[in-house]
Amino acid sequence: MDKQEIFDRIKQLKKKHNAIILAHNYQVGDVQDVADFVGDSFGLSQKAAQTDADVIVFCGVKFMAESAKILSPDKTVLLPNANAGCPLADMLSVQQLRQLKQQYPGVPVVTYVNSTAAVKAESDICCTSSNALKVVNSLEADTVIFAPDKNLGHYVQQHTDKKLIIWDGFCPTHNSLKPEDVELIKSNYPQAEILIHPEAPAEVLEKADFVGSTGQILSYVRDSSRKEFIIGTEQGILHTLRVQNPDKKFYLLSKKLLCTNMKKITLESVLHALETMTTEIVLPQDVMTKAKRALDRMLQVV
Ligand code: CIZ
């Protein structure tokens, strides 16, 4: 089947199942092009909750599809590749979080959405990279447990008066960035502005003109009169940036910015998901109920 035939077949199956396709900004271009909505995990979960579709094909990694299921428990949520995981989410188990809570009794837990549903269920409130600071500042406590991303945690710590107890997890893709990578690309494109995701290490963020989530990077570029940008987040976002800003130029900060898990979803796997209605996200009811509380609490902050 050629690409156009796959697109057509996906369209037919979407109609048959009353399905929508949601794709994360880090997905490959073809998957973004076949999607009904492209965005960050938070925006996509909101879409999932609002849609009247019966089936959601979630093109992203597992924790994102889980969040969509938690916010839309009555819908069928499909992840086209069940092996599309998130190493950062896997760096904090529910047992580890329980131990940390025992060490700091009464200290509220803010959990980045890049976490398993079970970890969300043990948390007081969730956050994304775009609202982490707001969420932390919304709490009355002076001390807050922040998990699982240490780089996002340190970034928030620099901008809040609260004391954060930060878990030692990281995104291997963003954490691989070095200050020298920024120096090198800057020497090639001195006129370009440098936009970096807060999952990168502090010594790399220091060199950025702007630090933000994927959604914030997209808005920043859209509103900017500048013409050239160095992008310090997963390379899938270049597709979105180029579609939205055909008159501007984008350079990837480093070739290391490739998430192999995000790339496990292909056009063919989206078609297969709709043909076989797999792989369905199924979560225990009690986990869903508790995790929804933490996600809903975040939604009230923003
Ligand atoms: O929350 C998301 O979608 C992630 C993982 C990154 C971002 O900044 O959008």
Side-chain angles (χ1 to χ4, degrees):
M1 240 192 264
D2 68 20
K3 203 196 277 189
Q4 192 52 52
E5 286 171 328
I6 300 181
F7 267 84
D8 293 344
R9 182 79 187 121
I10 287 175
K11 213 169 152 190
Q12 284 168 4
L13 287 167
K14 266 186 8 181
K15 208 165 166 192
K16 177 177 165 195
H17 296 300
N18 188 25
I20 59 161
I21 300 176
L22 304 180
H24 191 265
N25 291 320
Y26 295 157
Q27 290 290 292
V28 294
D30 285 346
V31 171
Q32 292 194 28
D33 291 344
V34 84
D36 297 286
F37 297 102
V38 180
D40 61 15
S41 62
F42 175 69
L44 294 178
S45 289
Q46 283 182 315
K47 286 277 179 221
Q50 287 157 7
T51 179
D52 53 13
D54 297 315
V55 175
I56 296 162
V57 182
F58 203 106
C59 303
V61 292
K62 195 170 180 192
F63 79 81
M64 298 179 178
E66 285 183 348
S67 294
K69 179 68 187 176
I70 291 162
L71 290 172
S72 316
D74 300 333
K75 291 170 190 153
T76 300
V77 178
L78 304 177
L79 180 64
N81 186 327
N83 296 319
C86 172
L88 167 57
D90 293 339
M91 284 180 198
L92 177 63
S93 69
V94 69
Q95 291 79 8
Q96 286 171 315
L97 181 55
R98 282 186 189 139
Q99 273 171 16
L100 191 63
K101 283 167 65 171
Q102 273 171 14
Q103 238 178 295
Y104 298 97
V107 175
V109 178
V110 175
T111 298
Y112 188 29
V113 283
N114 297 40
S115 52
T116 63
V119 162
K120 286 187 180 79
E122 278 292 319
S123 308
D124 293 280
I125 184 166
C126 290
C127 74
T128 69
S129 42
S130 58
N131 63 21
L133 181 61
K134 248 190 190 173
V135 166
V136 166
N137 284 339
S138 75
L139 300 173
E140 279 184 15
D142 295 332
T143 305
V144 171
I145 294 174
F146 190 93
D149 189 294
K150 63 175 179 181
N151 292 326
L152 181 61
H154 289 306
Y155 178 71
V156 172
Q157 183 65 89
Q158 284 176 348
H159 296 88
T160 182
D161 293 334
K162 295 188 192 289
K163 178 179 162 24
L164 300 194
I165 295 154
I166 300 171
W167 188 253
D168 197 27
F170 55 88
C171 160
T173 305
H174 289 92
N175 197 57
S176 70
L177 290 177
K178 302 266 177 277
E180 306 86 85
D181 298 324
V182 186
E183 296 301 340
L184 179 67
I185 186 125
K186 206 173 158 184
S187 66
N188 290 332
Y189 305 105
Q191 68 289 2
E193 271 197 300
I194 303 169
L195 319 182
I196 308 183
H197 196 280
E199 287 177 19
E203 62 274 20
V204 173
L205 295 182
E206 263 172 33
K207 298 191 173 290
D209 295 306
F210 175 74
V211 175
S213 66
T214 57
Q216 289 168 332
I217 289 176
L218 289 164
S219 305
Y220 184 92
V221 169
R222 211 178 302 129
D223 297 341
S224 172
S225 55
R226 299 284 285 267
K227 292 288 174 206
E228 294 186 47
F229 303 88
I230 291 167
I231 302 299
T233 191
E234 210 281 335
Q235 57 186 267
I237 197 174
L238 294 179
H239 182 79
T240 334
L241 284 164
R242 287 178 180 138
V243 168
Q244 292 182 359
N245 307 277
D247 57 326
K248 296 180 181 174
K249 284 193 176 152
F250 303 98
Y251 314 108
L252 190 65
L253 197 159
S254 162
K255 282 191 186 139
K256 293 181 285 188
L257 286 166
L258 172 72
C259 171
T260 50
N261 277 290
M262 281 285 176
K263 277 29 183 188
K264 285 179 182 164
I265 314 278
T266 59
L267 206 51
E268 287 77 8
S269 68
V270 175
L271 175 58
H272 185 257
L274 278 164
E275 272 172 340
T276 58
M277 297 300 277
T278 57
T279 299
E280 188 177 350
I281 299 289
V282 181
L283 293 165
Q285 190 53 56
D286 59 326
V287 168
M288 287 217 283
T289 307
K290 288 190 200 154
K292 188 167 187 301
R293 232 177 278 157
L295 282 167
D296 281 343
R297 207 169 156 200
M298 168 183 80
L299 294 175
Q300 283 158 20
V301 171
V302 261

